[in-house]
Amino acid sequence: RRPGNEKTRIPNFLYIDEFAAFLGKQTEPIFTMYRKYKVATVITVQNLSQLNTPNSKESFRQTILSNCAHKIFTGDADVSELEWWSKELGTHREWTMKDSIDFAKGNNGEYESKHGEVKFDFVPNFKMGKLQTLKRNVFAFTLKDASGKNIGGAGRFKYLDAKYKEPQ
């Protein structure tokens, strides 16, 4: 137990690379309790199927994914996972309309422009094909802002130069 309350605790960060090797009943509290103790957790997995636990009767995948407010997709996913990522990364409103021009109205070469059949649809921010072909330094993300609203978009990694370069 950490002393203090949510307002007085100092934030801590826990980073776990290759999280699948640590997945089990003992790691479940990371996703269900640690937030109230101001412990931010960052995990990485190669693909979503690594979050399945075939040797256990419990499934932690849904617990983990529903408790992760921010998700980053870096590409090279299995085709079976691309549909999930496309849905998870959100949608945006896309408007369509038909334009027409009435040349009969007006004088001196003036005309009247009209818009008709205005409608919109919600389309994925990232379609499966776009996710499948992300370049090496591009990522897609979804995160929650301070008000709890989901924000999705694309970003670009800027890699740091190695301090010591070794011959390859």
Side-chain angles (χ1 to χ4, degrees), residues 113-132:
S113 177
K114 296 180 181 181
H115 303 291
E117 299 182 36
V118 178
K119 60 183 177 179
F120 67 86
D121 285 317
F122 287 98
V123 297
N125 288 331
F126 296 91
K127 293 181 180 170
M128 291 172 43
K130 175 133 180 150
L131 290 172
Q132 193 173 24

Side-chain angles (χ1 to χ4, degrees), residues 8-23:
T8 61
R9 289 186 183 118
I10 298 171
N12 285 275
F13 298 90
L14 173 63
Y15 298 91
I16 306 173
D17 192 18
E18 299 295 339
F19 179 72
F22 300 95
L23 184 59

